[in-house]
Amino acid sequence: MTETKTGQAKQTVSKSSAPRIRVGVTYYPEHWGKARLGIDIPLMREAGIQIVRMGEFAWSRLEPSEGRYDFSWLEEAVNAFGQAGISVVLGTPTAAPPAWFHQKYDVYPRDEWKRPLGFGTRLQRCLNHPVMRESSRRITEAMARHFGHNPFVEAWQTDNELTQNYCYCDYCAKAFREWLADKYGSLDNLNRAWGTVFWSQEYSDWEQIPLPWFAKCGMAHNPSLQLDYRRFQSDATVTFQQEQVNILRCLCPGQKITHNIMGLNDSMDYFALAADWDFAAWDNYPITPWGENGMRVPLGHDVTRGMKNRAFWIMEEQAGITGWEMMGPQTEPGQIRAWAWQAVSHGAETILFFRWRSCLYGTEQYWHGILNHDGVPRRHFQEVKQLAKEFGELSPFLSGAEVRSDVAIVHDADQHYGYHIQPQVRGMGLWDQILRFYTPLWRWGVNVDLVSPAADFSPYRLVILPGWYILSDEFADKVRQYVSRGGTVVMNPRTGVKNIDNVCVQIPLPGLLRDVAGITVAEYSPMAEKVGSVQFRDQNTASISVWADQLLLDTAEPFAWYRDSIYAGKPAVTCNDFGKGKAWYCGTFGDEGFYHIFLKQILNECGISSWDGLPKGTSVRTLYREGKRYTILVNLEGQEKQLSLPGDWKMLLGEQGLNTLTLKAYGIAVLESDRS
Ligand code: GLA
Ligand code: ZN
């Protein structure tokens, strides 16, 4: 517990919010006024809401004119919630600067044509603009001074859904050139690293270096420049956040800091952004008007948990129909509860629904809250109430329980950027590559960590490197050591194609990992949607598409062979003993059956158990705590399901059949068993 001036009050909140698995909401007091607070707070208490997020878009009310701050209305709300036992997350409001600010200062980002964006939505600011930076520090500091010792403020959210600073303004150009000068030291080094001799692009003055501005006839800029531009703009966002974090750390002792990421958004380096948080959080919308996110939901949970490798929050959880101009489907009875439990089963500890009540005006009128526009509690309210009650009852078991994984999938921003800059062939995006492995593992109930290349690999029996395209010497060495000491890795096509400057290596592929893989890629064939097939060692066959590497065996053994195309009869998948470990090289992309055979073989060899025969659409995750294991089953579909589960377990939540377990439509079961 933190000592504060009003330490007593802090204790009140902490006590009342004792269960760590809890439900919250986003609330906008500036949309509803003081009177409604008196109705909403009792309703929230009835629903079991324990935390609210506020303030993240309220700049025009917090600083109505330059330098004139008004925190009274927010403070009133914070205190009213706090006194009701509901703690608060405050957002810095920098994702939506007010009209007076833009009238005075031109901080609008420029697009690739150098056209300024205008006022009227949000995010209309360049994060490299000195005035934007200064104003961000100013409003953050003013808020931090005001609320830094408020006993009811538990945490801060920096800005909102930060991404790469997509901007091509003169400030960005200047900052980019400085960033490059700092990185390369001299133009000679930069010219050499980027290979600017191509198309007469050698630079003799830093001022000559362009941003990847719009180019004639869709011509692409140098891939090395594009990679550095993305890294630079990602760094700009990280620095922008860091300036806020430095102020908050200094003025808000005892209050935590986080940010709401967009799960699988890969425009920037989230791992770098995460370095400044106390815990990770993301915004989870499983069904929007633009479609269902399906496997991207559990993957988003694991990606977010991987940011800090510990319990995370859902800062925005879908509360009902989503949509701006168009609406997605209504959520079915039990569905929002199921999504929330699914999040917990992946290691989430606090779930804030977005939002408490549907807004009457503005762009997001149809992004529905727990309450609809009329503010009357109905079905969604009852569902949240039930959820909060269950979280309370199960917290003694589940709070502090951890995900433990034998499998890691490694990803980083450079790989994402690399495939965005040059997708090479349809179907080879990095998330697609990850999902090919992740989906069957998820279906078999195998816990997976999504980790950065800097992670310690030693706790994992299996490390999957999907498309490690831009390969550094250090990372190749790390993988080599991990395998030689007994680890197992899986590599995909396009491993080691580029050096860290996004330049093709001039050694045979898979480049720096060729010795570990024990094969040489003799040639390759981009296939896109064209379908071929392979035969496995056990005679089973499966379909392939997207890409085919023709592999020469150096020291590896073949595990599957191409059956058709110009590579018929040649190895497609191989396995190499390297030191005490094993390296699998998969030269192609397969269908579901392909990964079933391939991954089951690897799991068996690694001694990793997996679950067979789970009904489709059932999520099974395992958490561990003090000698116990907690299996959380979630039916993500509207049809009842029967399962038979081996072993001795005690049911903490759910409905038990005689020898089977019944999962009703969107039903949940939580089982406790001894750790084995
Ligand atoms: C995002 C934002 C929210 C809101 C929702 C719904 O997740 O963080 O402010 O805009 O989407 O559109
Ligand atoms: Zn800019």
Side-chain angles (χ1 to χ4, degrees):
M1 186 143 323
T2 326
E3 269 313 308
T4 63
K5 267 188 279 176
T6 30
Q8 198 50 45
K10 174 103 187 166
Q11 225 158 24
T12 316
V13 169
S14 308
K15 258 189 200 158
S16 65
S17 60
R20 278 187 53 215
I21 302 176
R22 55 187 176 158
V23 176
V25 288
T26 293
Y27 190 73
Y28 297 102
E30 68 274 27
H31 296 177
W32 303 106
K34 209 164 139 184
R36 180 70 200 188
L37 209 53
I39 301 170
D40 283 329
I41 290 178
L43 273 179
M44 285 188 201
R45 282 182 58 93
E46 186 193 332
I49 301 295
Q50 296 187 36
I51 182 159
V52 293
R53 178 187 63 161
M54 299 192 286
E56 83 277 14
F57 295 113
W59 195 337
S60 70
R61 286 291 171 94
L62 296 170
E63 190 185 4
S65 60
E66 190 159 20
R68 189 169 68 79
Y69 299 105
D70 178 6
F71 298 119
S72 57
W73 62 273
L74 184 56
E75 188 171 23
E76 243 177 287
V78 168
N79 291 343
F81 280 116
Q83 278 147 13
I86 297 172
S87 64
V88 173
V89 180
L90 285 182
T92 59
T94 41
W100 62 256
F101 174 74
H102 288 285
Q103 189 178 30
K104 181 156 184 199
Y105 305 108
D106 176 5
V107 304
Y108 292 123
R110 265 54 179 177
D111 69 7
E112 288 118 309
W113 288 268
K114 298 199 200 175
R115 295 176 306 201
L117 260 67
F119 191 77
T121 59
R122 59 179 174 183
L123 308 181
Q124 69 281 352
R125 76 294 192 235
C126 168
L127 302 183
N128 278 315
H129 197 297
V131 172
M132 184 60 216
R133 283 280 178 88
E134 195 208 312
S135 308
S136 153
R137 291 191 298 264
R138 227 174 13 82
I139 185 78
T140 304
E141 182 175 336
M143 282 184 85
R145 285 199 186 283
H146 202 89
F147 293 103
H149 291 279
N150 186 303
F152 306 124
V153 175
E154 173 178 327
W156 291 82
Q157 172 192 299
T158 55
D159 201 88
N160 190 76
E161 291 189 339
L162 287 164
T163 56
Q164 192 215 85
N165 181 45
Y166 295 102
C167 182
Y168 299 80
C169 76
D170 290 344
Y171 290 102
C172 283
K174 182 168 174 283
F176 182 44
R177 289 165 190 150
E178 284 166 8
W179 185 95
L180 291 171
D182 195 43
K183 174 172 176 180
Y184 291 100
S186 74
L187 281 167
D188 275 355
N189 290 342
L190 178 142
N191 282 321
R192 209 173 314 114
W194 287 6
T196 51
V197 65
F198 181 79
W199 282 354
S200 259
Q201 290 170 349
E202 284 161 302
Y203 301 110
S204 54
D205 186 333
W206 294 100
E207 295 293 310
Q208 296 162 358
I209 300 175
L211 299 190
W213 282 303
F214 178 73
K216 199 163 180 178
C217 316
M219 292 280 171
H221 282 266
N222 183 330
S224 304
L225 175 142
Q226 290 193 59
L227 179 62
D228 271 342
Y229 174 75
R230 282 173 187 256
R231 288 167 171 160
F232 153 74
Q233 287 293 25
S234 173
D235 280 6
T237 304
V238 171
T239 308
F240 175 84
Q241 176 188 256
Q242 222 159 48
E243 292 181 354
Q244 295 195 353
V245 169
N246 291 344
I247 294 164
L248 296 169
R249 291 263 177 246
C250 182
L251 298 175
C252 312
Q255 297 171 350
K256 299 235 179 317
I257 298 173
T258 188
H259 177 74
N260 56 332
I261 59 169
M262 284 185 277
L264 306 193
N265 182 290
D266 50 22
S267 69
M268 69 167 299
D269 184 351
Y270 276 162
F271 285 116
L273 200 66
D276 288 316
W277 312 330
D278 292 302
F279 59 88
W282 80 294
D283 297 341
N284 178 30
Y285 294 105
I287 301 181
T288 68
W290 310 286
E292 295 199 12
N293 280 319
M295 286 306 300
R296 290 172 175 252
V297 171
L299 181 58
H301 291 315
D302 286 342
V303 163
T304 306
R305 193 185 66 251
M307 290 294 136
K308 300 298 274 185
N309 216 359
R310 68 176 91 110
F312 62 100
W313 291 20
I314 309 295
M315 196 58 93
E316 296 178 19
E317 176 77 24
Q318 184 163 347
I321 297 171
T322 55
W324 288 6
E325 292 76 36
M326 303 292 287
M327 292 193 221
Q330 177 57 280
T331 58
E332 296 187 17
Q335 206 167 12
I336 61 171
R337 168 180 172 251
W339 288 329
W341 267 111
Q342 182 185 19
V344 169
S345 76
H346 282 263
E349 64 176 14
T350 296
I351 320 274
L352 288 96
F353 285 94
F354 185 89
R355 41 193 286 158
W356 170 243
R357 180 175 174 189
S358 315
C359 198
L360 306 182
Y361 35 65
T363 306
E364 298 193 345
Q365 284 163 318
Y366 296 136
W367 206 282
H368 289 70
I370 295 172
L371 306 185
N372 206 339
H373 300 103
D374 63 6
V376 177
R378 295 199 182 87
R379 173 166 73 85
H380 296 81
F381 177 90
Q382 296 305 334
E383 242 177 77
V384 170
K385 187 173 166 182
Q386 179 188 349
L387 180 73
K389 185 167 168 279
E390 290 165 354
F391 280 2
E393 285 165 4
L394 270 77
S395 273
F397 304 95
L398 297 179
S399 85
E402 293 170 342
V403 177
R404 304 245 167 91
S405 310
D406 290 321
V407 184
I409 297 179
V410 195
H411 70 123
D412 79 349
D414 271 359
Q415 312 309 318
H416 288 292
Y417 301 158
Y419 287 104
H420 281 301
I421 294 166
Q422 292 168 305
Q424 300 159 75
V425 64
R426 282 185 301 280
M428 207 162 58
L430 192 58
W431 291 124
D432 291 335
Q433 297 196 44
I434 289 173
L435 280 166
R436 284 174 193 272
F437 293 107
Y438 184 84
T439 304
L441 293 169
W442 177 86
R443 222 168 257 156
W444 302 329
V446 178
N447 283 356
V448 179
D449 286 349
L450 271 288
V451 302
S452 91
D456 176 9
F457 292 167
S458 62
Y460 301 106
R461 297 189 199 186
L462 173 61
V463 170
I464 299 174
L465 305 172
W468 211 269
Y469 176 61
I470 295 175
L471 180 60
S472 68
D473 296 345
E474 301 76 50
F475 189 63
D477 280 346
K478 179 171 179 166
V479 173
R480 183 172 295 108
Q481 280 193 24
Y482 169 72
V483 180
S484 62
R485 288 179 190 155
T488 298
V489 294
V490 179
M491 294 176 234
N492 256 358
R494 312 310 285 148
T495 298
V497 169
K498 299 281 189 102
N499 71 11
I500 53 165
D501 298 316
N502 213 3
V503 165
C504 292
V505 298
Q506 48 181 323
I507 52 174
L509 300 182
L512 297 170
L513 286 171
R514 188 171 157 220
D515 56 331
V516 181
I519 47 105
T520 300
V521 178
E523 64 166 71
Y524 44 73
S525 169
M527 296 169 71
E529 289 84 20
K530 199 172 140 203
V531 177
S533 64
V534 294
Q535 176 159 12
F536 289 93
R537 221 187 261 164
D538 65 3
Q539 307 299 315
N540 274 307
T541 61
S543 298
I544 56 156
S545 60
V546 183
W547 189 272
D549 275 340
Q550 184 205 328
L551 308 179
L552 305 178
L553 303 172
D554 298 332
T555 51
E557 295 285 326
F559 184 68
W561 295 261
Y562 295 106
R563 295 175 71 212
D564 32 38
S565 84
I566 51 174
Y567 303 147
K570 305 250 165 50
V573 181
T574 59
C575 179
N576 191 43
D577 289 328
F578 186 83
K580 293 186 186 146
K582 267 193 176 171
W584 294 83
Y585 188 92
C586 183
T588 185
F589 297 94
D591 62 4
E592 230 182 284
F594 177 100
Y595 289 99
H596 191 102
I597 299 168
F598 180 43
L599 278 177
K600 279 281 176 176
Q601 174 77 25
I602 299 173
L603 293 184
N604 288 342
E605 289 191 17
C606 292
I608 301 169
S609 56
S610 60
W611 230 316
D612 277 318
L614 285 170
K616 201 184 129 282
T618 313
S619 161
V620 183
R621 299 283 106 190
T622 312
L623 301 174
Y624 297 86
R625 180 174 173 262
E626 291 171 10
K628 298 278 183 201
R629 69 192 263 160
Y630 297 94
T631 306
I632 303 180
L633 296 103
V634 182
N635 182 357
L636 294 164
E637 295 179 345
Q639 302 82 37
E640 182 169 303
K641 283 168 191 156
Q642 304 282 335
L643 284 89
S644 57
L645 288 184
D648 274 343
W649 39 261
K650 187 171 109 197
M651 180 167 280
L652 302 178
L653 181 73
E655 286 165 64
Q656 199 168 348
L658 200 50
N659 294 309
T660 57
L661 185 107
T662 305
L663 282 176
K664 286 194 167 163
Y666 302 109
I668 320 291
V670 181
L671 313 177
E672 184 188 68
S673 53
D674 287 329
R675 195 124 136 217
S676 51

